[in-house]
Amino acid sequence: MANTLVDMFRLKEIRKKILFTFGLLIVTRIGVVIPIPGINPSAILNYVEANTNSFTAYLNFFSGGAFSNFSIFMLGVMPYISTQIIVQLLMLVIPSLKKLAQDPQGAKKIQQYTRYGTIVVCALQSLATTFYARNIPGALVMGTVPFTIVAMITVTAGSMLMVWLGEKITQFGVGNGISLLIFAGIVARMPSAFYSLITAVSAGTLNPVSVILVVVMFFFVVALVVYEEQGQRKIPVHYAKRVQGRKMYGSQSTFIPFKINPSGVIPVIFASALLSFPLQIGYNSQVKWMQSVANFLNPQGAPYLIIYTLLIIGFAFFYTQISLNPVEMAKNIRDNGGSIPGVRNEKMEEYLTKVLNRIVLPGSIFLAFIALIPTLIQMFFDFPQDVAMLFGGTSLIILVGVDLDTMRQLDTMLKDRHLDGFVGVKKRKVNKL
């Protein structure tokens, strides 16, 4: 492991990617502490600490503390993820939009439409945050109308900047940039969460035995998440002899690796982003039905947990069908002269769909169960909310999933250069010409 870390920083190309990623993540953390113009940061912070509820704790945790600071990055990348969900759903009901996305140039247009939609979502959510600030005594240091305009422009620009930084990390750095930004926000809340835990134990409000049990359960759940993320179902594929150009290619056997959880952390991120949107719009809204919706979707309430669970399962199936389309996979296998042993060619799509559904269902249920852990910890062990959110649920899945995905990318980069990866594979010999 030590040699692998040395190899990563010894190779210039990989070292540049890692340092570039860390540099942009540091930029986002600096933005988290920069408040929007026209706000009194101390008044906001004191109010949030004195009136902590499930809604503010939820948003503050996943924004890495940006919400309580009322910073320029207080919305994070959640508006962009919400817009992506809307666009993906529209592609299912509008065939012309789906056809456009299949073309390389059309995919760029879809991406552009997503950015435009993100601006609209940011504007709506930033408007909702201004209503929240107005209800805080001494929070505004300028007039209501000027503050509303400045806050909407600043917060929208901050979210779009974070999206741009995430795309640059994906393009020039290591890992998925958008996921890494959420990952960094969760990690940034760890020190304060551990401080709250130590304070609660010292004050006698939290039983040390309960803490030990939760810590043991935490490591057990991490092991389960890692095991589930690494699990695969291998579908054997046999390719017959074929002539391509002037060359004859012999028969070969390979396999299609279907992960137990093909969609990774995407369903959890999508479900969290989709549910955070009505919460941000409705909380402290002057419209009664919006307030009713926000109260109904209380993150600690049964309706929220039920809807959250169903959304995770639904998005797991939805994203798997998009990323691993059985019809297209079967077509590619047939076009290349391949076949699945024991399955007729005309039944290949049906077989692949059946296999995917069988592995996605238990994987999505497992994700949903992990996502409910914070609520269970709070109910049975009376843990502080920020600590409970850290010890399980969405944060744990995102932390483990993003970490494994980034490690896999680094592992591939190292093995492509004939070096040891993180899984301990021996160095491959390079044939000299």
Side-chain angles (χ1 to χ4, degrees):
M1 182 67 178
N3 292 335
T4 302
L5 294 175
V6 171
D7 288 337
M8 281 195 317
F9 286 94
R10 190 174 61 190
L11 294 171
K12 183 179 179 180
E13 184 180 351
I14 298 179
R15 183 175 67 248
K16 286 177 64 177
K17 286 178 174 290
I18 294 173
L19 294 178
F20 181 83
T21 302
F22 275 115
L24 292 192
L25 290 178
I26 290 172
V27 170
T28 60
R29 298 316 305 164
I30 294 174
V32 164
V33 298
I34 300 176
I36 59 178
I39 206 79
N40 183 355
S42 59
I44 294 286
L45 186 60
N46 293 334
Y47 180 84
V48 171
E49 290 179 351
N51 298 273
T52 301
N53 53 48
S54 56
F55 167 75
T56 56
Y58 178 84
L59 293 181
N60 205 37
F61 190 88
F62 287 100
S63 64
F67 186 81
S68 61
N69 295 332
F70 249 71
S71 75
I72 58 175
F73 290 159
M74 66 182 300
L75 294 182
V77 293
M78 288 303 185
Y80 177 71
I81 297 173
S82 301
T83 309
Q84 280 187 319
I85 299 170
I86 296 171
V87 172
Q88 295 287 349
L89 292 173
L90 288 175
M91 288 170 58
L92 292 179
V93 297
I94 304 177
S96 58
L97 198 61
K98 183 178 180 180
K99 186 177 180 181
L100 181 66
Q102 293 173 348
D103 181 71
Q105 294 299 322
K108 293 181 179 179
K109 290 184 178 179
I110 294 293
Q111 185 68 17
Q112 198 67 26
Y113 296 155
T114 304
R115 292 194 184 97
Y116 292 148
T118 303
I119 294 175
V120 176
V121 174
C122 284
L124 291 173
Q125 291 186 339
S126 59
L127 179 61
T129 59
T130 62
F131 289 115
Y132 179 77
R134 292 176 194 175
N135 295 328
I136 300 176
L140 303 187
V141 296
M142 64 167 62
T144 302
V145 175
F147 168 75
T148 301
I149 296 173
V150 170
M152 289 179 64
I153 294 174
T154 306
V155 173
T156 301
S159 288
M160 296 308 297
L161 176 59
M162 285 198 74
V163 171
W164 181 79
L165 291 174
E167 291 176 347
K168 292 304 174 185
I169 291 175
T170 303
Q171 186 177 359
F172 299 109
V174 180
N176 183 292
I178 300 297
S179 298
L180 278 173
L181 292 179
I182 301 174
F183 176 93
I186 296 172
V187 171
R189 299 299 297 171
M190 284 185 174
S192 63
F194 285 125
Y195 177 77
S196 299
L197 181 63
I198 295 171
T199 303
V201 173
S202 301
T205 58
L206 201 59
N207 191 336
V209 177
S210 299
V211 175
I212 294 173
L213 289 175
V214 172
V215 170
V216 171
M217 184 176 66
F218 170 77
F219 285 107
F220 177 71
V221 172
V222 168
L224 282 178
V225 173
V226 172
Y227 181 78
E228 189 258 355
E229 286 287 331
Q230 302 283 31
Q232 289 183 349
R233 166 73 185 275
K234 297 179 180 180
I235 306 297
V237 180
H238 179 75
Y239 290 96
K241 290 183 179 180
R242 66 187 189 278
V243 178
Q244 189 170 346
R246 295 184 178 182
K247 293 183 178 181
M248 169 72 77
Y249 293 89
S251 61
Q252 60 176 339
S253 296
T254 182
F255 61 87
I256 304 173
F258 283 162
K259 293 179 60 179
I260 296 177
N261 180 26
S263 51
V265 299
I266 299 298
V268 178
I269 297 176
F270 275 15
S272 300
L274 194 62
L275 286 176
S276 67
F277 181 74
L279 284 172
Q280 289 175 323
I281 295 295
Y283 190 76
N284 276 341
S285 173
Q286 303 300 318
V287 183
K288 288 186 178 180
W289 70 267
M290 284 188 171
Q291 288 182 345
S292 301
V293 170
N295 293 331
F296 180 76
L297 292 177
N298 180 1
Q300 299 301 315
Y304 177 91
L305 297 176
I306 294 172
I307 296 172
Y308 186 43
T309 302
L310 294 176
L311 282 177
I312 291 175
I313 297 173
F315 279 129
F317 279 93
F318 170 70
Y319 190 80
T320 301
Q321 289 297 322
I322 292 177
S323 59
L324 298 174
N325 191 323
V327 177
E328 293 182 2
M329 291 177 65
K331 182 177 181 298
N332 291 333
I333 293 173
R334 281 194 293 263
D335 290 346
N336 289 282
S339 62
I340 298 176
V343 180
R344 291 186 297 177
N345 281 350
E346 62 270 17
K347 295 288 185 179
M348 201 176 295
E349 295 92 339
E350 182 181 340
Y351 173 76
L352 292 175
T353 302
K354 184 178 179 181
V355 172
L356 275 176
N357 289 338
R358 283 185 172 181
I359 62 177
V360 171
L361 181 59
S364 60
I365 293 175
F366 176 79
L367 280 179
F369 170 74
I370 298 297
L372 297 179
I373 286 179
T375 304
L376 298 178
I377 291 176
Q378 282 187 278
M379 288 175 59
F380 294 105
F381 298 102
D382 198 26
F383 264 52
Q385 186 169 0
D386 55 345
V387 180
M389 294 178 72
L390 178 63
F391 271 72
T394 306
S395 59
L396 178 59
I397 297 171
I398 293 174
L399 287 175
V400 175
V402 174
D403 181 66
L404 289 175
D405 182 60
T406 306
M407 294 275 283
R408 277 193 288 264
Q409 286 199 26
L410 288 171
D411 193 68
T412 302
M413 292 179 189
L414 290 169
K415 289 180 179 178
D416 286 344
R417 291 157 181 80
H418 311 286
L419 296 170
D420 286 346
F422 290 98
V423 294
V425 179
K426 292 183 179 179
K427 293 182 180 179
R428 296 179 290 178
K429 295 181 179 179
V430 182
N431 296 324
K432 296 183 180 180
L433 297 177

PDB file of all heavy atoms in Angstrom, residues 187-214:
ATOM      1  N   VAL A 187     -17.323  15.162   4.617  1.00  0.00           N
ATOM      2  CA  VAL A 187     -16.085  14.999   5.384  1.00  0.00           C
ATOM      3  C   VAL A 187     -15.814  16.246   6.228  1.00  0.00           C
ATOM      4  O   VAL A 187     -15.337  16.146   7.364  1.00  0.00           O
ATOM      5  CB  VAL A 187     -14.900  14.720   4.432  1.00  0.00           C
ATOM      6  CG1 VAL A 187     -13.575  14.766   5.180  1.00  0.00           C
ATOM      7  CG2 VAL A 187     -15.073  13.363   3.766  1.00  0.00           C
ATOM      8  N   ALA A 188     -16.141  17.414   5.677  1.00  0.00           N
ATOM      9  CA  ALA A 188     -15.889  18.661   6.409  1.00  0.00           C
ATOM     10  C   ALA A 188     -16.714  18.766   7.686  1.00  0.00           C
ATOM     11  O   ALA A 188     -16.340  19.505   8.607  1.00  0.00           O
ATOM     12  CB  ALA A 188     -16.185  19.858   5.500  1.00  0.00           C
ATOM     13  N   ARG A 189     -17.828  18.042   7.764  1.00  0.00           N
ATOM     14  CA  ARG A 189     -18.679  18.088   8.956  1.00  0.00           C
ATOM     15  C   ARG A 189     -18.249  17.083  10.015  1.00  0.00           C
ATOM     16  O   ARG A 189     -18.802  17.073  11.119  1.00  0.00           O
ATOM     17  CB  ARG A 189     -20.141  17.829   8.569  1.00  0.00           C
ATOM     18  CG  ARG A 189     -20.722  18.846   7.608  1.00  0.00           C
ATOM     19  CD  ARG A 189     -20.708  20.236   8.196  1.00  0.00           C
ATOM     20  NE  ARG A 189     -21.551  20.340   9.382  1.00  0.00           N
ATOM     21  CZ  ARG A 189     -21.581  21.389  10.186  1.00  0.00           C
ATOM     22  NH1 ARG A 189     -20.775  22.409   9.960  1.00  0.00           N
ATOM     23  NH2 ARG A 189     -22.377  21.407  11.245  1.00  0.00           N
ATOM     24  N   MET A 190     -17.297  16.231   9.699  1.00  0.00           N
ATOM     25  CA  MET A 190     -16.875  15.200  10.659  1.00  0.00           C
ATOM     26  C   MET A 190     -16.311  15.775  11.965  1.00  0.00           C
ATOM     27  O   MET A 190     -16.689  15.317  13.047  1.00  0.00           O
ATOM     28  CB  MET A 190     -15.852  14.267  10.009  1.00  0.00           C
ATOM     29  CG  MET A 190     -16.444  13.267   9.056  1.00  0.00           C
ATOM     30  SD  MET A 190     -15.205  12.106   8.450  1.00  0.00           S
ATOM     31  CE  MET A 190     -16.257  10.977   7.534  1.00  0.00           C
ATOM     32  N   PRO A 191     -15.398  16.759  11.925  1.00  0.00           N
ATOM     33  CA  PRO A 191     -14.859  17.280  13.192  1.00  0.00           C
ATOM     34  C   PRO A 191     -15.935  17.796  14.139  1.00  0.00           C
ATOM     35  O   PRO A 191     -15.908  17.488  15.344  1.00  0.00           O
ATOM     36  CB  PRO A 191     -13.920  18.404  12.735  1.00  0.00           C
ATOM     37  CG  PRO A 191     -13.516  18.028  11.350  1.00  0.00           C
ATOM     38  CD  PRO A 191     -14.724  17.376  10.756  1.00  0.00           C
ATOM     39  N   SER A 192     -16.894  18.584  13.619  1.00  0.00           N
ATOM     40  CA  SER A 192     -17.944  19.111  14.493  1.00  0.00           C
ATOM     41  C   SER A 192     -18.851  18.005  15.011  1.00  0.00           C
ATOM     42  O   SER A 192     -19.336  18.055  16.149  1.00  0.00           O
ATOM     43  CB  SER A 192     -18.773  20.166  13.749  1.00  0.00           C
ATOM     44  OG  SER A 192     -19.438  19.586  12.640  1.00  0.00           O
ATOM     45  N   ALA A 193     -19.082  16.966  14.174  1.00  0.00           N
ATOM     46  CA  ALA A 193     -19.922  15.851  14.612  1.00  0.00           C
ATOM     47  C   ALA A 193     -19.248  15.076  15.743  1.00  0.00           C
ATOM     48  O   ALA A 193     -19.889  14.725  16.744  1.00  0.00           O
ATOM     49  CB  ALA A 193     -20.220  14.923  13.431  1.00  0.00           C
ATOM     50  N   PHE A 194     -17.953  14.820  15.596  1.00  0.00           N
ATOM     51  CA  PHE A 194     -17.231  14.116  16.657  1.00  0.00           C
ATOM     52  C   PHE A 194     -17.141  14.966  17.928  1.00  0.00           C
ATOM     53  O   PHE A 194     -17.187  14.439  19.049  1.00  0.00           O
ATOM     54  CB  PHE A 194     -15.829  13.731  16.184  1.00  0.00           C
ATOM     55  CG  PHE A 194     -15.817  12.566  15.237  1.00  0.00           C
ATOM     56  CD1 PHE A 194     -15.218  12.668  13.990  1.00  0.00           C
ATOM     57  CD2 PHE A 194     -16.404  11.361  15.598  1.00  0.00           C
ATOM     58  CE1 PHE A 194     -15.205  11.600  13.122  1.00  0.00           C
ATOM     59  CE2 PHE A 194     -16.394  10.273  14.730  1.00  0.00           C
ATOM     60  CZ  PHE A 194     -15.800  10.392  13.479  1.00  0.00           C
ATOM     61  N   TYR A 195     -17.023  16.278  17.759  1.00  0.00           N
ATOM     62  CA  TYR A 195     -17.000  17.168  18.917  1.00  0.00           C
ATOM     63  C   TYR A 195     -18.343  17.109  19.661  1.00  0.00           C
ATOM     64  O   TYR A 195     -18.380  17.068  20.906  1.00  0.00           O
ATOM     65  CB  TYR A 195     -16.699  18.596  18.478  1.00  0.00           C
ATOM     66  CG  TYR A 195     -16.722  19.604  19.608  1.00  0.00           C
ATOM     67  CD1 TYR A 195     -15.664  19.699  20.507  1.00  0.00           C
ATOM     68  CD2 TYR A 195     -17.812  20.455  19.777  1.00  0.00           C
ATOM     69  CE1 TYR A 195     -15.690  20.602  21.555  1.00  0.00           C
ATOM     70  CE2 TYR A 195     -17.858  21.372  20.810  1.00  0.00           C
ATOM     71  CZ  TYR A 195     -16.788  21.449  21.698  1.00  0.00           C
ATOM     72  OH  TYR A 195     -16.824  22.354  22.734  1.00  0.00           O
ATOM     73  N   SER A 196     -19.430  17.091  18.904  1.00  0.00           N
ATOM     74  CA  SER A 196     -20.760  16.975  19.529  1.00  0.00           C
ATOM     75  C   SER A 196     -20.893  15.659  20.277  1.00  0.00           C
ATOM     76  O   SER A 196     -21.492  15.607  21.363  1.00  0.00           O
ATOM     77  CB  SER A 196     -21.854  17.075  18.453  1.00  0.00           C
ATOM     78  OG  SER A 196     -21.806  18.311  17.792  1.00  0.00           O
ATOM     79  N   LEU A 197     -20.329  14.596  19.708  1.00  0.00           N
ATOM     80  CA  LEU A 197     -20.400  13.288  20.353  1.00  0.00           C
ATOM     81  C   LEU A 197     -19.623  13.279  21.670  1.00  0.00           C
ATOM     82  O   LEU A 197     -20.129  12.809  22.703  1.00  0.00           O
ATOM     83  CB  LEU A 197     -19.833  12.226  19.401  1.00  0.00           C
ATOM     84  CG  LEU A 197     -19.837  10.781  19.901  1.00  0.00           C
ATOM     85  CD1 LEU A 197     -21.262  10.300  20.126  1.00  0.00           C
ATOM     86  CD2 LEU A 197     -19.121   9.875  18.903  1.00  0.00           C
ATOM     87  N   ILE A 198     -18.403  13.832  21.638  1.00  0.00           N
ATOM     88  CA  ILE A 198     -17.575  13.877  22.850  1.00  0.00           C
ATOM     89  C   ILE A 198     -18.231  14.752  23.919  1.00  0.00           C
ATOM     90  O   ILE A 198     -18.246  14.410  25.109  1.00  0.00           O
ATOM     91  CB  ILE A 198     -16.165  14.400  22.511  1.00  0.00           C
ATOM     92  CG1 ILE A 198     -15.445  13.405  21.593  1.00  0.00           C
ATOM     93  CG2 ILE A 198     -15.343  14.625  23.777  1.00  0.00           C
ATOM     94  CD1 ILE A 198     -14.138  13.930  21.037  1.00  0.00           C
ATOM     95  N   THR A 199     -18.799  15.879  23.491  1.00  0.00           N
ATOM     96  CA  THR A 199     -19.469  16.779  24.436  1.00  0.00           C
ATOM     97  C   THR A 199     -20.671  16.104  25.097  1.00  0.00           C
ATOM     98  O   THR A 199     -20.890  16.239  26.312  1.00  0.00           O
ATOM     99  CB  THR A 199     -19.925  18.061  23.709  1.00  0.00           C
ATOM    100  OG1 THR A 199     -18.798  18.690  23.098  1.00  0.00           O
ATOM    101  CG2 THR A 199     -20.582  19.025  24.677  1.00  0.00           C
ATOM    102  N   ALA A 200     -21.439  15.363  24.284  1.00  0.00           N
ATOM    103  CA  ALA A 200     -22.620  14.675  24.828  1.00  0.00           C
ATOM    104  C   ALA A 200     -22.228  13.593  25.832  1.00  0.00           C
ATOM    105  O   ALA A 200     -22.880  13.423  26.867  1.00  0.00           O
ATOM    106  CB  ALA A 200     -23.433  14.070  23.678  1.00  0.00           C
ATOM    107  N   VAL A 201     -21.141  12.863  25.539  1.00  0.00           N
ATOM    108  CA  VAL A 201     -20.679  11.827  26.471  1.00  0.00           C
ATOM    109  C   VAL A 201     -20.159  12.461  27.755  1.00  0.00           C
ATOM    110  O   VAL A 201     -20.433  11.990  28.865  1.00  0.00           O
ATOM    111  CB  VAL A 201     -19.591  10.955  25.806  1.00  0.00           C
ATOM    112  CG1 VAL A 201     -18.986   9.983  26.827  1.00  0.00           C
ATOM    113  CG2 VAL A 201     -20.169  10.186  24.627  1.00  0.00           C
ATOM    114  N   SER A 202     -19.385  13.560  27.611  1.00  0.00           N
ATOM    115  CA  SER A 202     -18.825  14.237  28.792  1.00  0.00           C
ATOM    116  C   SER A 202     -19.923  14.827  29.674  1.00  0.00           C
ATOM    117  O   SER A 202     -19.804  14.833  30.906  1.00  0.00           O
ATOM    118  CB  SER A 202     -17.869  15.347  28.355  1.00  0.00           C
ATOM    119  OG  SER A 202     -16.809  14.829  27.564  1.00  0.00           O
ATOM    120  N   ALA A 203     -20.980  15.322  29.054  1.00  0.00           N
ATOM    121  CA  ALA A 203     -22.074  15.923  29.817  1.00  0.00           C
ATOM    122  C   ALA A 203     -23.003  14.879  30.437  1.00  0.00           C
ATOM    123  O   ALA A 203     -23.891  15.224  31.222  1.00  0.00           O
ATOM    124  CB  ALA A 203     -22.874  16.860  28.926  1.00  0.00           C
ATOM    125  N   GLY A 204     -22.832  13.621  30.051  1.00  0.00           N
ATOM    126  CA  GLY A 204     -23.656  12.561  30.600  1.00  0.00           C
ATOM    127  C   GLY A 204     -24.989  12.386  29.925  1.00  0.00           C
ATOM    128  O   GLY A 204     -25.829  11.603  30.390  1.00  0.00           O
ATOM    129  N   THR A 205     -25.221  13.099  28.820  1.00  0.00           N
ATOM    130  CA  THR A 205     -26.491  12.967  28.099  1.00  0.00           C
ATOM    131  C   THR A 205     -26.492  11.783  27.145  1.00  0.00           C
ATOM    132  O   THR A 205     -27.534  11.435  26.578  1.00  0.00           O
ATOM    133  CB  THR A 205     -26.783  14.256  27.304  1.00  0.00           C
ATOM    134  OG1 THR A 205     -25.698  14.516  26.401  1.00  0.00           O
ATOM    135  CG2 THR A 205     -26.945  15.442  28.249  1.00  0.00           C
ATOM    136  N   LEU A 206     -25.316  11.178  26.944  1.00  0.00           N
ATOM    137  CA  LEU A 206     -25.207  10.045  26.030  1.00  0.00           C
ATOM    138  C   LEU A 206     -24.464   8.918  26.732  1.00  0.00           C
ATOM    139  O   LEU A 206     -23.394   9.134  27.313  1.00  0.00           O
ATOM    140  CB  LEU A 206     -24.462  10.464  24.763  1.00  0.00           C
ATOM    141  CG  LEU A 206     -24.656   9.604  23.515  1.00  0.00           C
ATOM    142  CD1 LEU A 206     -26.133   9.545  23.122  1.00  0.00           C
ATOM    143  CD2 LEU A 206     -23.842  10.162  22.358  1.00  0.00           C
ATOM    144  N   ASN A 207     -25.026   7.736  26.691  1.00  0.00           N
ATOM    145  CA  ASN A 207     -24.439   6.578  27.358  1.00  0.00           C
ATOM    146  C   ASN A 207     -23.214   6.083  26.583  1.00  0.00           C
ATOM    147  O   ASN A 207     -23.313   5.808  25.383  1.00  0.00           O
ATOM    148  CB  ASN A 207     -25.476   5.451  27.444  1.00  0.00           C
ATOM    149  CG  ASN A 207     -25.026   4.333  28.351  1.00  0.00           C
ATOM    150  OD1 ASN A 207     -23.837   4.141  28.582  1.00  0.00           O
ATOM    151  ND2 ASN A 207     -25.999   3.593  28.883  1.00  0.00           N
ATOM    152  N   PRO A 208     -22.040   5.966  27.229  1.00  0.00           N
ATOM    153  CA  PRO A 208     -20.838   5.480  26.531  1.00  0.00           C
ATOM    154  C   PRO A 208     -21.015   4.094  25.922  1.00  0.00           C
ATOM    155  O   PRO A 208     -20.428   3.796  24.866  1.00  0.00           O
ATOM    156  CB  PRO A 208     -19.769   5.462  27.635  1.00  0.00           C
ATOM    157  CG  PRO A 208     -20.254   6.442  28.653  1.00  0.00           C
ATOM    158  CD  PRO A 208     -21.735   6.355  28.618  1.00  0.00           C
ATOM    159  N   VAL A 209     -21.815   3.230  26.581  1.00  0.00           N
ATOM    160  CA  VAL A 209     -22.068   1.888  26.043  1.00  0.00           C
ATOM    161  C   VAL A 209     -22.801   1.986  24.703  1.00  0.00           C
ATOM    162  O   VAL A 209     -22.505   1.251  23.753  1.00  0.00           O
ATOM    163  CB  VAL A 209     -22.876   1.040  27.048  1.00  0.00           C
ATOM    164  CG1 VAL A 209     -23.199  -0.329  26.445  1.00  0.00           C
ATOM    165  CG2 VAL A 209     -22.115   0.883  28.349  1.00  0.00           C
ATOM    166  N   SER A 210     -23.738   2.927  24.624  1.00  0.00           N
ATOM    167  CA  SER A 210     -24.467   3.133  23.368  1.00  0.00           C
ATOM    168  C   SER A 210     -23.519   3.601  22.272  1.00  0.00           C
ATOM    169  O   SER A 210     -23.639   3.185  21.105  1.00  0.00           O
ATOM    170  CB  SER A 210     -25.580   4.166  23.567  1.00  0.00           C
ATOM    171  OG  SER A 210     -26.510   3.730  24.527  1.00  0.00           O
ATOM    172  N   VAL A 211     -22.576   4.458  22.637  1.00  0.00           N
ATOM    173  CA  VAL A 211     -21.596   4.950  21.659  1.00  0.00           C
ATOM    174  C   VAL A 211     -20.760   3.798  21.124  1.00  0.00           C
ATOM    175  O   VAL A 211     -20.525   3.687  19.913  1.00  0.00           O
ATOM    176  CB  VAL A 211     -20.682   6.023  22.298  1.00  0.00           C
ATOM    177  CG1 VAL A 211     -19.590   6.434  21.317  1.00  0.00           C
ATOM    178  CG2 VAL A 211     -21.495   7.228  22.725  1.00  0.00           C
ATOM    179  N   ILE A 212     -20.317   2.907  22.020  1.00  0.00           N
ATOM    180  CA  ILE A 212     -19.504   1.760  21.592  1.00  0.00           C
ATOM    181  C   ILE A 212     -20.308   0.857  20.654  1.00  0.00           C
ATOM    182  O   ILE A 212     -19.805   0.396  19.624  1.00  0.00           O
ATOM    183  CB  ILE A 212     -19.012   0.968  22.824  1.00  0.00           C
ATOM    184  CG1 ILE A 212     -18.047   1.828  23.641  1.00  0.00           C
ATOM    185  CG2 ILE A 212     -18.325  -0.327  22.382  1.00  0.00           C
ATOM    186  CD1 ILE A 212     -17.631   1.193  24.958  1.00  0.00           C
ATOM    187  N   LEU A 213     -21.573   0.612  20.997  1.00  0.00           N
ATOM    188  CA  LEU A 213     -22.422  -0.222  20.143  1.00  0.00           C
ATOM    189  C   LEU A 213     -22.605   0.389  18.760  1.00  0.00           C
ATOM    190  O   LEU A 213     -22.537  -0.312  17.743  1.00  0.00           O
ATOM    191  CB  LEU A 213     -23.787  -0.421  20.814  1.00  0.00           C
ATOM    192  CG  LEU A 213     -23.827  -1.329  22.053  1.00  0.00           C
ATOM    193  CD1 LEU A 213     -25.215  -1.317  22.669  1.00  0.00           C
ATOM    194  CD2 LEU A 213     -23.423  -2.755  21.676  1.00  0.00           C
ATOM    195  N   VAL A 214     -22.830   1.698  18.715  1.00  0.00           N
ATOM    196  CA  VAL A 214     -23.031   2.376  17.434  1.00  0.00           C
ATOM    197  C   VAL A 214     -21.746   2.369  16.609  1.00  0.00           C
ATOM    198  O   VAL A 214     -21.780   2.181  15.385  1.00  0.00           O
ATOM    199  CB  VAL A 214     -23.535   3.811  17.662  1.00  0.00           C
ATOM    200  CG1 VAL A 214     -23.546   4.588  16.347  1.00  0.00           C
ATOM    201  CG2 VAL A 214     -24.924   3.806  18.265  1.00  0.00           C
TER     202      VAL A 214
END
